[in-house]
Amino acid sequence: MSHKFGLLRTIEDSELELILGWRNAASIRQNMYTQHVIPLDEHLAWWERVRRRKDQKYFMYERNDKPLGVVAFSEINYRYANACWAFYSSPDSPRGTGSAMEFLALEFAFGDLSLHKLYCEVLAFNTPVVKLHRKFGFQIEGTFRDQYHLNGAYIDIIRLGMLRHEWDAHREVMYGKLASRYGVV
């Protein structure tokens, strides 16, 4: 899916080591459920499992011919038209990359996938991502108290969700904000 803010495209096998490097960066790992350094064989085995699943779709986010992040949809339920999503950008991605990725993810979710609802989970201490999702119109649906154990402590998980009509109502506002950032007319 191509857009003025970048594009979501198929991940090439040749990019798997690049993605692993991003995923293993401390700045990325600290905000993920899986926090250990992932060895290449584990990463490749995971990718093979992902490829075979019909309820998961992973994309490379690219802008100006440069790969800058990964957008993932999981738990895609075609019958009930809902899915979970997540993303991460490369550690050296330019400011605003997350917003562009989120816009394109929402366009894909409510356009290409024809979802009724998109949801996500964020570790409670990752307040910048919670704020980003809220800016795009996600609603906090709840807090899973002490849901995840990390470094000897229990961490809350924030669940956020968005319905198609909420994106329809908020889309133009976000498009305008991104258009001014990227100089799109």
Side-chain angles (χ1 to χ4, degrees):
M1 176 179 149
S2 181
H3 196 279
K4 297 169 183 146
F5 308 137
L7 67 105
L8 298 181
R9 62 165 175 77
T10 302
I11 294 172
E12 304 294 331
D13 286 343
S14 62
E15 296 172 314
L16 292 175
E17 288 188 44
L18 172 67
I19 291 170
L20 179 61
W22 296 342
R23 186 59 187 77
N24 279 336
S27 61
I28 304 298
R29 271 196 342 263
Q30 72 184 3
N31 293 310
M32 305 291 261
Y33 284 131
T34 304
Q35 297 215 341
H36 68 278
V37 173
I38 302 167
L40 181 60
D41 62 334
E42 181 181 330
H43 181 65
L44 295 177
W46 163 82
W47 183 245
E48 280 307 310
R49 288 190 305 274
V50 165
R51 287 175 130 157
R52 290 192 298 266
R53 296 189 57 164
K54 302 267 189 253
D55 68 338
Q56 295 187 8
K57 294 185 179 296
Y58 279 72
F59 297 98
M60 178 65 75
Y61 168 72
E62 179 179 290
R63 179 153 173 80
N64 298 327
D65 298 320
K66 182 176 182 185
L68 293 171
V70 173
V71 172
F73 296 92
S74 61
E75 302 174 27
I76 301 169
N77 186 316
Y78 294 98
R79 181 175 182 186
Y80 298 113
N82 60 57
C84 186
W85 88 288
F87 76 101
Y88 55 91
S89 55
S90 68
D92 63 345
S93 64
R95 185 167 164 77
T97 297
S99 292
M101 291 171 71
E102 186 142 348
F103 185 89
L104 294 176
L106 290 165
E107 290 288 271
F108 181 81
F110 295 116
D112 298 65
L113 287 178
S114 297
L115 295 182
H116 170 71
K117 180 178 183 176
L118 185 64
Y119 59 93
C120 60
E121 295 179 353
V122 181
L123 298 169
F125 58 76
N126 193 354
T127 54
V129 170
V130 172
K131 287 179 184 176
L132 177 66
H133 293 328
R134 296 290 312 247
K135 179 176 84 172
F136 271 86
F138 278 87
Q139 301 297 313
I140 293 178
E141 296 185 327
T143 301
F144 299 121
R145 298 175 306 129
D146 286 356
Q147 182 76 16
Y148 188 70
H149 193 261
L150 177 65
N151 299 326
Y154 284 95
I155 307 294
D156 292 349
I157 302 294
I158 308 296
R159 165 85 178 247
L160 299 104
M162 181 184 293
L163 304 176
R164 178 196 311 257
H165 72 86
E166 293 167 334
W167 177 238
D168 290 344
H170 205 64
R171 182 188 182 281
E172 290 307 313
V173 170
M174 294 314 299
Y175 181 87
K177 288 179 180 181
L178 286 170
S180 66
R181 166 173 271 158
Y182 288 106
V184 174
V185 184

